[in-house]
């Protein structure tokens, strides 16, 4: 998704902006650009379709600049549509979507303005330039009054070298300070590499950098008192020393799980005791991989807590006019804490009086600031677009939450609770399956499609495994309930078609194996993943992968790991970059 950076430095800051833009690359983008104001008050812009590295070259002059990575929404990826956009003395970068841009554009066209791009963003810079009467901040504030939708902006004015005006409305923006530079950025992890102290803006807040300081204010220019916090060293982005970020992040799962569990045991759940004990019904919502974690939570929590738990794709939640209200718990799950649909769903739940509990990897995220209570997982920065270690940690946090709910209601923890500390070492043991997964990836790399099947909790693992294969290997893959196979999908099985089956519940194993046998009888190439030695020995699968044994209820945290690795190997063998899948973004900040 789009990324914004702004920098005012004591010296030329072109390289600093380039480096911050590199920190934003992991989010996914299709073009990039930089604008700088020189001390002699000239505005220079360099922008290009494609990679940030295309902007390398003789630095533009100036100690004040803004940069952008664009993920196309309005208008195709092109040099002209890349940000920054310029009008008169102003340059602007924008994240988000201006919903009333057509009306505004028509109005500006009637006033004789000429547009150089197809973007909604160019409308904003034109509004600013037209509102300008010598007051930089005033012009930006006035233009913002006309905008509907979500946006984060960073704006430069040629008359004011050394100054940047930023604003946040529904799209993240953070201020950062280091000894040699002051920053604006749309992304907490990307800024953590450059700044020593950070402070996120709330909706409606402006960030003014000028005169060597950062000031937060409202649209009337009234100062808002904010607290900067020191950037924790573990949140700085590190590079993948060798290989890809996705491989690195899979290898970090055991560490991420033990850090997350340590964080959970330190978390004081007392502030949400009332709702954990008394919630009449529970809703969970999320997107993508986080949605699979939320679905798992719904299955586990309903069975442990014995109260209804409903799970929805966040993008659908608010369109169904949900029956959520006071005395209900709403659990929002998001690695980034910035996914627009998840935020909107959480806002709706809060408006209707529900208690919002967030599970996120980013303590300073928009979701965390919106929620009544936040569980912060300690997965560490996740750079690869396809989520891996964050999924395992989300599951851990959600199991822990389900256990707390049970405890607050019955004074008893679920029987699997005592096994949580073993997850980290068991996760490491799953790495023993990687050789087998590499061989499978080599065998199946040219497959036209594949299915992943499971029953009970294994359905979620099947869905998540299939999502990984789709996202990065670009192979059509579908995950679903094994029992549904013969209600349609069996028609698609042909000779050699790969069918992966996940079977971690001994009580369901023979039924799941029936589905595998039905697929095999029609020529499928079948793979079974299980920790259950009886299930493995009795199955007719062509390939059997033995998972480490842990309490069966916790197996989803482990069973997904070989599938994550399989997808990564398949992607690499097919010649793609698992860290930057085509068309996808790490944090989807538009609805
Ligand atoms: C995007 C990413 C996925 C992620 C989803 C939800 O689609 O590509 O990997 O699962 O967003 O992200 P979140 O940050 O809310 O967990």
């Amino acid at each position: 998704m789009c990324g914004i950076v702004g920098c005012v430095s004591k010296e030329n800051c072109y390289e600093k902006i380039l480096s911050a833009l590199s920190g934003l690359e992991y989010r996914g983008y299709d073009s990039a650009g930089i604008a700088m104001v020189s001390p002699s008050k000239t505005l220079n812009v360099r922008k290009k379709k494609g990679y940030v590295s295309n902007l390398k070259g003789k630095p533009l002059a100036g100690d004040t600049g803004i940069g952008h990575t664009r993920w196309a929404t309005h208008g195709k990826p092109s040099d002209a549509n890349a940000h920054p956009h310029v009008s008169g003395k102003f340059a602007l970068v924008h994240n988000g979507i201006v919903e009333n841009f057509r009306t505004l554009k028509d109005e500006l066209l009637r006033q004789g303005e000429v547009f150089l791009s197809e973007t909604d963003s160019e409308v904003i810079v034109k509004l600013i330039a037209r509102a300008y009467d010598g007051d930089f901040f005033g012009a930006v504030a006035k233009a913002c009054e006309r905008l509907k939708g979500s946006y984060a902006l960073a704006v430069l004015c040629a008359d004011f070298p050394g100054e940047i005006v930023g604003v946040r409305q529904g799209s993240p923006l953070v201020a950062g300070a280091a000894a040699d530079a002051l920053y604006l950025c749309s992304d907490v992890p990307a800024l953590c590499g450059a700044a020593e102290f950070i402070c996120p803006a709330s909706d409606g807040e402006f960030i003014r950098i000028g005169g060597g300081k950062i000031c937060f204010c409202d649209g009337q220019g009234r100062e808002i008192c904010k607290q900067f916090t020191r950037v924790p060293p573990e949140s700085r982005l590190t590079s993948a020393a060798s290989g890809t970020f996705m491989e690195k992040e899979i290898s970090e799962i055991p560490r991420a799980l033990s850090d997350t569990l340590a964080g959970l045991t330190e978390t004081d759940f007392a502030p949400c005791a009332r709702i954990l004990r008394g919630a009449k019904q529970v809703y969970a919502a999320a997107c993508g991989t986080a949605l699979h974690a939320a679905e798992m939570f719904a299955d586990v929590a309903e069975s442990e807590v014995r109260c209804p738990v409903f799970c929805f794709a966040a993008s659908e939640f608010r369109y169904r006019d949900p029956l959520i209200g006071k005395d209900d718990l709403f659990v929002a799950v998001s690695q980034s804490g910035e996914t627009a649909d998840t935020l909107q769903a959480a806002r709706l739940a809060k408006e209707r009086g529900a208690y919002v509990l967030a599970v996120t990897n980013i303590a300073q995220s928009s979701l965390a600031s919106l929620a009544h209570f936040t569980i912060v997982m300690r997965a560490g920065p996740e750079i690869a677009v396809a989520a891996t270690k964050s999924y395992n940690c989300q599951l851990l946090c959600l199991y822990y939450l389900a256990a707390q709910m049970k405890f607050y209601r019955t004074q008893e923890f679920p029987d699997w609770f005592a096994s949580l500390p073993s997850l980290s070492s068991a996760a490491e043991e799953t790495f023993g399956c990687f050789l087998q997964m590499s061989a499978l990836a080599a065998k199946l790399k040219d497959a036209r499609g594949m299915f992943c099947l499971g029953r009970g909790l294994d359905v979620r693992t099947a869905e998540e495994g299939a999502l990984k294969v789709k996202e990065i290997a670009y192979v059509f893959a579908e995950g679903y309930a094994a029992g549904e196979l013969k209600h349609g999908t069996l028609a698609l099985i042909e000779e050699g078609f790969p069918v992966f089956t996940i079977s971690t519940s001994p009580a369901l194993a023979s039924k799941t194996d029936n589905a595998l046998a039905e697929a095999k009888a029609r020529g499928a190439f079948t793979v079974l993943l299980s920790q259950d030695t009886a299930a493995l020995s009795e199955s007719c699968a062509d390939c059997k992968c033995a998972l480490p044994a842990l309490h069966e209820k916790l197996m989803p945290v482990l069973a997904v790991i070989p599938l994550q690795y399989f997808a990564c190997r398949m992607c690499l063998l097919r010649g793609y970059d698992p860290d930057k899948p085509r068309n996808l973004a790490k944090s989807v900040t538009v609805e």
Side-chain angles (χ1 to χ4, degrees):
M1 281 280 126
C2 300
I4 283 180
V5 60
C7 178
V8 177
S9 175
K10 293 181 178 149
E11 53 196 25
N12 182 284
C13 64
Y14 190 77
E15 293 300 330
K16 282 194 169 68
I17 295 174
L18 257 187
S19 137
L21 288 180
S22 308
L24 289 166
E25 283 188 286
Y26 79 98
R27 296 162 57 91
Y29 70 107
D30 47 56
S31 47
I34 295 179
M36 309 268 298
V37 179
S38 74
S40 59
K41 302 191 173 180
T42 51
L43 196 60
N44 292 302
V45 179
R46 187 177 289 163
K47 54 184 191 166
K48 290 256 177 287
K49 179 182 166 185
Y51 290 118
V52 168
S53 54
N54 294 342
L55 303 175
K56 285 191 178 146
K58 189 169 178 285
L60 300 177
D63 52 17
T64 308
I66 54 177
H68 193 258
T69 49
R70 174 173 187 257
W71 188 83
T73 55
H74 292 75
K76 61 184 181 303
S78 69
D79 290 359
N81 287 336
H83 298 214
H85 295 287
V86 174
S87 183
K89 294 179 171 178
F90 292 87
L92 161 141
V93 290
H94 165 225
N95 283 1
I97 291 180
V98 179
E99 284 165 8
N100 59 335
F101 101 96
R102 285 188 200 285
T103 319
L104 295 171
K105 189 166 180 173
D106 288 346
E107 182 185 311
L108 289 161
L109 284 168
R110 281 197 299 277
Q111 289 165 347
E113 292 287 350
V114 177
F115 284 82
L116 303 176
S117 78
E118 303 156 278
T119 64
D120 53 339
S121 315
E122 197 180 355
V123 163
I124 314 174
V125 73
K126 291 213 179 287
L127 288 174
I128 296 172
R130 292 183 79 88
Y132 184 58
D133 59 5
D135 175 3
F136 177 15
F137 171 78
V140 179
K142 204 162 165 199
C144 287
E145 288 171 10
R146 306 279 329 268
L147 305 179
K148 290 202 175 93
S150 67
Y151 52 86
L153 308 177
V155 189
L156 288 184
C157 177
D159 287 344
F160 295 89
E163 294 192 22
I164 299 177
V165 174
V167 56
R168 174 202 162 122
Q169 183 61 54
S171 202
L173 195 65
V174 189
D180 58 347
L182 301 174
Y183 292 94
L184 281 180
C185 191
S186 54
D187 186 274
V188 175
L191 191 57
C192 289
E196 285 159 41
F197 296 91
I198 58 167
C199 179
S202 300
D203 280 347
E205 287 180 356
F206 287 74
I207 302 176
R208 299 176 70 171
I209 303 184
K213 61 184 178 69
I214 299 174
C215 162
F216 284 75
C217 64
D218 66 11
Q220 277 72 51
R222 288 182 294 241
E223 202 161 324
I224 300 168
C225 186
K226 303 280 282 193
Q227 210 69 45
F228 276 71
T229 52
R230 185 177 277 282
V231 174
E234 68 272 15
S235 55
R236 288 165 196 241
L237 298 180
T238 51
S239 61
S242 63
T244 62
F245 274 109
M246 185 164 179
E247 289 166 294
K248 174 176 179 276
E249 286 158 12
I250 292 172
S251 76
E252 288 170 350
I253 291 171
R255 197 269 314 139
L257 285 170
S258 56
D259 287 0
T260 296
L261 185 62
L264 287 168
T265 51
E266 286 162 19
T267 304
D268 178 10
F269 284 86
C272 53
R274 182 194 62 80
I275 197 81
L276 296 186
R277 191 182 298 120
K280 299 229 166 38
Q281 45 179 9
V282 180
Y283 285 80
C287 300
T289 288
L291 175 59
H292 296 149
E295 284 170 339
M296 185 82 70
F297 169 72
D299 295 344
V300 172
E302 187 163 282
S303 121
E304 295 294 350
V305 182
R306 309 312 300 161
C307 90
V309 185
F310 308 102
C311 182
F312 295 99
S315 53
E316 290 295 317
F317 177 73
R318 65 200 170 116
Y319 300 116
R320 57 188 310 282
D321 195 12
L323 265 177
I324 191 167
K326 200 169 155 296
D327 298 329
D328 291 340
L329 170 64
F330 180 86
V331 179
V333 188
S334 171
Q335 185 282 130
S336 61
E338 302 296 350
T339 301
D341 284 319
T342 309
L343 285 170
Q344 291 292 17
R347 276 188 199 113
L348 174 68
K350 197 172 175 184
E351 272 161 33
R352 298 215 170 162
Y355 187 94
V356 176
L357 188 151
V359 175
T360 180
N361 200 24
I362 310 290
Q364 306 86 345
S365 61
S366 306
L367 182 61
S369 60
L370 185 157
H372 296 103
F373 189 81
T374 301
I375 298 178
V376 182
M377 49 181 171
R378 295 187 187 169
E382 190 176 68
I383 309 302
V385 167
T388 53
K389 61 177 177 172
S390 66
Y391 178 66
N392 307 74
C393 293
Q394 279 161 356
L395 290 180
L396 171 53
C397 292
L398 291 164
Y399 276 110
Y400 202 91
L401 176 62
Q404 291 295 326
M405 288 183 76
K406 177 166 183 160
F407 183 77
Y408 273 105
R409 286 164 194 240
T410 64
Q411 303 304 302
E412 275 177 25
F413 281 111
D415 55 356
W416 43 259
F417 188 68
S419 301
L420 290 178
S422 308
L423 272 173
S424 170
S425 57
E428 196 146 4
E429 278 182 62
T430 65
F431 295 179
C433 305
F434 285 2
L435 261 183
Q436 218 177 353
M437 289 298 128
S438 283
L440 276 176
K443 179 178 167 62
L444 302 174
K445 73 178 175 33
D446 297 320
R448 284 194 301 140
M450 64 179 270
F451 294 140
C452 296
L453 308 178
R455 274 177 201 270
L457 297 182
D458 294 328
V459 179
R460 310 307 174 203
T461 308
E463 288 171 343
E464 177 57 13
L467 177 63
K468 289 290 93 93
V469 171
K470 273 186 283 214
E471 274 178 307
I472 57 169
Y474 313 146
V475 171
F476 180 78
E478 211 47 62
Y480 55 93
E484 284 296 296
L485 180 70
K486 43 187 170 305
H487 298 295
T489 327
L490 199 55
L492 293 172
I493 303 282
E494 294 172 347
E495 196 58 38
F497 193 91
V499 175
F500 281 50
T501 307
I502 302 100
S503 180
T504 65
S505 163
L508 302 175
S510 65
K511 282 198 168 38
T512 304
D513 205 51
N514 287 346
L516 185 148
E518 285 157 12
K520 188 175 160 80
R522 276 125 189 124
F525 174 78
T526 51
V527 181
L528 175 66
L529 289 89
S530 179
Q531 84 289 16
D532 178 2
T533 40
L536 285 165
S537 69
E538 282 157 29
S539 171
C540 60
D542 298 301
C543 173
K544 299 176 187 180
C545 173
L547 300 169
L550 203 63
H551 194 295
E552 61 171 282
K553 280 276 162 53
L554 299 180
M555 285 307 294
V557 183
L558 307 178
V560 73
I561 299 172
L563 297 172
Q564 293 166 333
Y565 188 77
F566 168 80
C568 186
R569 290 305 307 158
M570 200 161 175
C571 161
L572 290 166
L573 289 168
R574 287 166 62 84
Y576 303 120
D577 178 356
D579 295 344
K580 294 180 198 149
R582 67 185 176 210
N583 306 335
L584 300 182
K586 181 69 181 158
S587 141
V588 182
T589 48
V590 292
E591 287 172 51

